[in-house]
Amino acid sequence: MALRFFNTYSRQIEEFQPRDPAKRKISVYTCGPTVYSRAHIGNFRAYIFEDLLQRHLELRGYKVHRVMNITDVDDKTIRGAREAKIPLSKFTAPFKQAFFEDIETMRIKRADEFPAATDPRYVDRMIEMIDTLISRGLAYQADDKSVYFRINKFADYGKLAHFDLTQLQSTGRVKHDEYDKEHIGDFALWKAWDEEDGDVGWESPWGRGRPGWHIECSAMATALLGDQIDIHCGGVDNIFPHHEAEIAQSEGVTGKKFVRHWLHCAHLLVDGQKMSKSLGNFYTLPNLLEKGYTGREIRYALMRVHYRAPLNFTWKGMEEARQALTRIDEWLMRLRATAAKKIDKGKTGMQLGTQFEEALDDDLNISAALGFLFESIRETNRAMDQNEMDAATANAWLDWWKRINTVLDLEPETEVGVPAEVAQLAKDRENARREKNWKRSDQLRERISALGWEVRDTKDGPKVTPRSAA
Ligand code: AMP
Ligand code: ZN
């Protein structure tokens, strides 16, 4: 079955058609974090959806070249640096680092490149692109010295968002004083320096200033992936104006269709409202780790609902994620034990399905894919209960799991060389801790220790290592 995705541009499910089907190499651009504070788990819903997309494309044999930008200059970062009275780069550095730590904890694959908007290479390219847009009549410098994109000159403007130009509203990310613009919807490409920018600014043919947020992505995307990209992603809030503007700028410069497939994920909600910094209804990853959840539990909780359906964040949902992973872990342990059986009395021939992958082919239908996984767990557990599974079949299921786990990446971290008895004690201890049974947890720690191992609690769950000689 062919891969199909919902394309925001056409508002239809379309067969995935990369630019170069023969080579099976595809380019993916994903809008990354604005590093003015620690990203919240709403942001990570978007990044986990993109991770799932990349991993499934890879499962299907594509080689993915993915770029994720880091927005390290915009109104919010500048304001933050000013308030902290430190240079912009010093202000953004810890948030960049926190972002990389968080994606690692949640097992999100790193993009091939993480270009930063302030990198002089890209600033030069932004200036070049703006220059071309002006020369083509698609942009103009207004009296306030800022440069704006002239949306009336770009016939396709509004096609991604399916917007009528007359309904355009101004947004937070353009300069606030609108008087200088020809049209309220014209957006800033280059923002003239003002006092609030402090020492942030670059020289340009239009005077000192800084790039607008949208041109940053157009410049980094085309610089690293070329004029045409196979897939471009983000959250639905990126559709307008950000991605609409990216199309106008990029196509205005190259004259070529910028993106073949636009994919956007729905929001992570809290009590029906978008989780966001501005509403204050957010959790960061450390907030959840402090409550005892592990990176993979959070990964599962954010991944388990289809990316186009809004997902409500609840503690109950976190508990369900934990239970689901426990079921997977126990199932894997049983399968491994069955696979290791020397004497085989069981029957062969349980069917391994392809439904998991096929569900993901269908616009990344993870809910259906997981449904199939748990159905398989139920059936295989039943077979094992009745001693009807032989070692070869158990091994086949383990191989199947290995394959689908390249997409899910949900296996507990395996500590190489840890004996099964110690691993089981560590698991029992973890359960005791969850039940706040500290006495039992301490006893189990001692038993682990007596066997020559020690257990440490890390942000990604307990880790078992050989006991260091005291
Ligand atoms: P920002 O740092 O605000 O530019 O956002 C980075 C990414 O996170 C973008 O792709 C947004 O669309 C996405 N995003 C922000 N808030 C949420 C949310 N509550 N749920 C899902 N995605 C979000
Ligand atoms: Zn972007």
Side-chain angles (χ1 to χ4, degrees), residues 77 163 183 247 256 320 449 451 455:
T77 44
F163 259 8
H183 186 293
I247 296 175
K256 294 180 199 150
E320 285 165 5
S449 173
L451 291 167
V455 59

Side-chain angles (χ1 to χ4, degrees), residues 96-285:
K96 279 188 201 178
Q97 199 197 326
F99 170 73
F100 289 118
E101 278 169 26
D102 289 353
I103 57 173
E104 195 184 326
T105 306
M106 272 180 281
R107 307 181 181 188
I108 296 171
K109 263 195 170 181
R110 288 176 68 98
D112 299 280
E113 275 132 322
F114 288 100
T118 52
D119 184 326
R121 269 179 298 175
Y122 305 121
V123 176
D124 287 350
R125 185 171 176 85
M126 293 168 210
I127 293 174
E128 241 173 65
M129 288 181 86
I130 297 169
D131 210 25
T132 307
L133 292 171
I134 294 179
S135 69
R136 297 201 176 145
L138 285 163
Y140 60 92
Q141 184 168 29
D143 294 341
D144 66 352
K145 299 279 182 278
S146 291
V147 179
Y148 295 96
F149 191 94
R150 187 177 270 134
I151 60 168
N152 282 335
K153 278 279 156 75
F154 188 75
D156 285 346
Y157 197 74
K159 286 234 170 116
L160 177 70
H162 294 218
F163 259 8
D164 176 352
L165 287 193
T166 56
Q167 300 195 344
L168 286 183
Q169 301 276 326
S170 127
T171 75
R173 295 247 191 182
V174 295
K175 248 192 173 344
H176 298 298
D177 44 313
E178 311 290 355
Y179 309 107
D180 298 289
K181 298 196 290 184
E182 291 174 3
H183 186 293
I184 189 166
D186 289 353
F187 56 87
L189 296 165
W190 189 258
K191 297 183 174 193
W193 183 89
D194 67 25
E195 269 171 33
E196 301 214 321
D197 293 343
D199 60 1
V200 179
W202 290 265
E203 297 308 325
S204 82
W206 319 285
R208 191 168 173 74
R210 60 182 166 104
W213 174 41
H214 314 314
I215 195 75
E216 294 177 4
C217 277
S218 282
M220 292 185 269
T222 54
L224 291 164
L225 296 172
D227 295 347
Q228 297 185 285
I229 297 171
D230 290 306
I231 303 179
H232 194 315
C233 309
V236 283
D237 57 323
N238 284 159
I239 298 174
F240 192 88
H242 187 50
H243 289 165
E244 193 74 62
E246 273 191 49
I247 296 175
Q249 300 159 152
S250 308
E251 297 189 4
V253 169
T254 67
K256 294 180 199 150
K257 190 169 174 62
F258 178 42
V259 169
R260 295 174 81 90
H261 297 269
W262 283 99
L263 271 64
H264 293 98
C265 75
H267 283 143
L268 181 68
L269 309 176
V270 184
D271 297 329
Q273 279 191 303
K274 178 190 173 192
M275 180 179 287
S276 70
K277 278 272 144 65
S278 52
L279 291 173
N281 59 350
F282 63 90
Y283 295 100
T284 62
L285 188 64

Side-chain angles (χ1 to χ4, degrees), residues 21-34:
K23 283 205 190 124
R24 295 189 83 76
K25 272 193 183 168
I26 56 172
S27 52
V28 179
Y29 187 85
T30 49
C31 287
T34 306

